[in-house]
Amino acid sequence: MAHEQNVLVSDVVASGAGLAFVAYPEVVTRLPVPQLWAFLFFLMLFLLGIDSQFVGMENMLAALFDAYPKWRRHKPWVTAALCGSLCVSGLLFCTRAGIYWIELMGYYGSGWCLVMAALVECLVLSWVYGVDQVLAGIHEMIGYRPTCNGWYWLILWKYITPVLLTAIVIFNLVQFSPLDYDGYVFPPWAQALGWLIAVLPVAVIPVVGLYNYWQSYKVFKGSKMERLRWLTHPDPATWRVVRPPATNQQGEEASEDLLMGQTKTNH
């Protein structure tokens, strides 16, 4: 296409929705038996979309059912309501300005904010909750300690991954430029809306943290640091760390002991 138009490849294709819905379909029409390749191409897009929907729906439903356990008995209706609301909200992207809304949400909603959320999650799990407790939980679930006796994951989760994620966030913010699509620069109100879309997922973390800290005054008496420690550690009444055994035989005994402990707790 670039050769026929006598332009650079960067002038023909660009990342984003235009690459999948404009450039690739035009390339498909230039292949032998274009009907077959067009069918396979859009079938691939359909399967990718369905796969992403499965993951997204399961995450949202799991969060809803964890927050409202009584809704589990009405799972089909909750699922239908969630799918219906998402379908209605998605009609915005089917309008004549839909491509601009897609670019706006894709540019601001899938950038540094997701990396920031992943960074906070990594820091909380490795430095607050503790890598040992994470590995102990994995050992409880799969029956053995992860490879390299856990030291590989300790170095990765506590040092390498946070540094890389921090660098990605910094580079994203330093190299940020106002959104434009096909030469059209989005107006200031659209850029502000995009920043709101980007900030909201990250703002939930400190807001919920402060809310829980404020609520802790009702159920916990102690200093500010004691209250913070109480909020960031699992409840010993419902969770205790299972140290990995030295041998398989001891591991079986530890698993049986854990099972007995959980049974006693349930009773």
Side-chain angles (χ1 to χ4, degrees), residues 118-197:
L119 174 62
V120 174
E121 181 180 0
C122 184
L123 292 175
V124 170
L125 283 177
S126 58
W127 289 95
V128 179
Y129 184 73
V131 175
D132 289 338
Q133 298 202 78
V134 176
L135 295 175
I138 296 175
H139 172 264
E140 178 187 347
M141 290 184 287
I142 65 178
Y144 59 89
R145 193 172 177 84
T147 56
C148 302
N149 200 29
W151 64 264
Y152 168 80
W153 300 106
L154 186 145
I155 296 175
L156 193 67
W157 290 340
K158 294 190 70 172
Y159 304 105
I160 297 179
T161 302
V163 170
L164 293 178
L165 292 177
T166 303
I168 293 174
V169 172
I170 294 175
F171 292 152
N172 271 270
L173 295 177
V174 169
Q175 297 179 352
F176 174 81
S177 60
L179 174 62
D180 67 277
Y181 176 73
D182 198 19
Y184 171 74
V185 180
F186 283 57
W189 69 265
Q191 303 285 353
L193 179 61
W195 275 105
L196 181 64
I197 294 173

Side-chain angles (χ1 to χ4, degrees), residues 82-101:
L82 182 59
C83 290
S85 61
L86 292 176
C87 180
V88 172
S89 62
L91 294 177
L92 175 67
F93 305 112
C94 300
T95 62
R96 296 181 61 181
I99 185 63
Y100 297 98
W101 287 106

